[in-house]
Amino acid sequence: MEFLITSTLNGVIYGMLLFMVSAGLTLIFGMMGVLNFAHASFYMLGAYFAYTLSSIFNFWIGLLVAPLIVGIIGILVERYLLRRVHSYGHAHELLLTFGLAFIFEELVKLFYGDYPVNYRMPDDLNFAAFNIFGTDYPFYRVFIGGVALAMFISLLLMLNKTRVGIVVRGAERLPQIAQALGHNVPLVFMGVFGAGAALAGLGGAVAGAFYPTNPNMALELGVIVFVVVVVGGLGSLTGSLLASLMIGLFSSFAVGL
């Protein structure tokens, strides 16, 4: 029973982390059809920017500002790189983002070194949430799951209940009609790409304080995130959440066994 409960909790939390990273890729791939192999690199950049900002200011400043910086980088990538090759098809986008992933990784190694950095959770979050069979369960794991759940609810409400969401879904399904109605579809796509990058950056900022923050973290998570997006259904936010939880549970029980 102890193994069952602990593995289930760990699997759910890991699945929620996968969702935090895959949610942005789901939006980007579902809306724009862009095979963004550099998406996990935004997750890595979020962790490193949060580490730098938390060293200068504090953990909460890093948690809030790092995703914004990553989002701006995503906007610049879409505006000045991806937009130039989008008309040439998926192969060019794939090669471009694959190259960007290597560039981001090498830049991180250049500035931070080829080893994990000392990015840690603050002391006021370093306590036990509850006790399971005599073992303390870290509150920070629950915090990661809570942030991911809040992200899911916010995205769902924004896409289905707000004018911004209507414009985004309209640009996704009928871009020519959306353009004819006066909406700047390229600007919408740029915003979606930046928002997707920011979501991945938030995942890195949150998870990097608990899991190791190192230059290989993007490589470790990148393939799994694409699996989540495919299993969950391209462009489906709810599907990505369910696929993330399923893969997280499978992974947790496999490691435990």
Side-chain angles (χ1 to χ4, degrees):
M1 185 59 70
E2 179 181 357
F3 166 74
L4 180 66
I5 294 175
T6 304
S7 296
T8 300
L9 284 171
N10 289 342
V12 168
I13 298 303
Y14 182 61
M16 297 302 282
L17 169 61
L18 289 178
F19 171 74
M20 273 200 287
V21 183
S22 64
L25 185 60
T26 298
L27 290 176
I28 292 169
F29 196 68
M31 264 203 68
M32 306 169 62
V34 173
L35 291 166
N36 182 17
F37 266 73
H39 190 74
S41 298
F42 293 131
Y43 163 77
M44 174 185 67
L45 291 177
Y48 274 95
F49 285 143
Y51 160 70
T52 303
L53 291 168
S54 63
S55 302
I56 300 173
F57 302 102
N58 59 58
F59 173 80
W60 299 107
I61 295 293
L63 195 64
L64 293 173
V65 177
L68 298 178
I69 298 175
V70 176
I72 292 172
I73 293 174
I75 287 173
L76 295 175
V77 167
E78 196 283 331
R79 174 63 182 84
Y80 294 104
L81 297 176
L82 272 174
R83 193 175 296 185
R84 294 175 180 269
V85 302
H86 187 65
S87 60
Y88 295 104
H90 294 311
H92 289 72
E93 294 169 346
L94 189 150
L95 290 172
L96 173 64
T97 55
F98 197 70
L100 281 174
F102 278 102
I103 291 172
F104 286 143
E105 182 180 339
E106 294 304 317
L107 284 174
V108 164
K109 290 179 182 178
L110 179 66
F111 287 99
Y112 293 95
D114 192 9
Y115 49 83
V117 295
N118 189 29
Y119 181 32
R120 292 288 180 265
M121 71 188 85
D123 292 334
D124 54 351
L125 295 180
N126 189 12
F127 61 91
F130 44 82
N131 190 279
I132 307 175
F133 298 98
T135 303
D136 291 335
Y137 196 82
F139 171 79
Y140 200 81
R141 281 185 180 271
V142 181
F143 176 71
I144 293 173
V147 172
L149 185 61
M151 177 193 293
F152 171 70
I153 295 172
S154 301
L155 284 174
L156 210 59
L157 290 175
M158 186 199 74
L159 289 174
N160 294 310
K161 301 293 184 182
T162 66
R163 179 178 175 82
V164 173
I166 293 172
V167 172
V168 167
R169 287 185 289 123
E172 171 195 358
R173 297 173 187 175
L174 299 167
Q176 292 178 339
I177 293 179
Q179 187 82 39
L181 290 172
H183 299 294
N184 190 336
V185 173
L187 183 63
V188 172
F189 284 171
M190 184 175 69
V192 168
F193 195 91
L199 292 177
L202 176 61
V206 173
F210 190 82
Y211 299 99
T213 297
N214 60 73
N216 296 320
M217 61 192 299
L219 184 63
E220 294 166 359
L221 209 64
V223 177
I224 303 176
V225 168
F226 270 93
V227 173
V228 168
V229 173
V230 172
V231 172
L234 304 179
S236 172
L237 206 61
T238 305
S240 288
L241 176 64
L242 295 176
S244 298
L245 291 174
M246 184 176 68
I247 292 172
L249 288 169
F250 282 164
S251 176
S252 176
F253 276 93
V255 170
L257 291 171

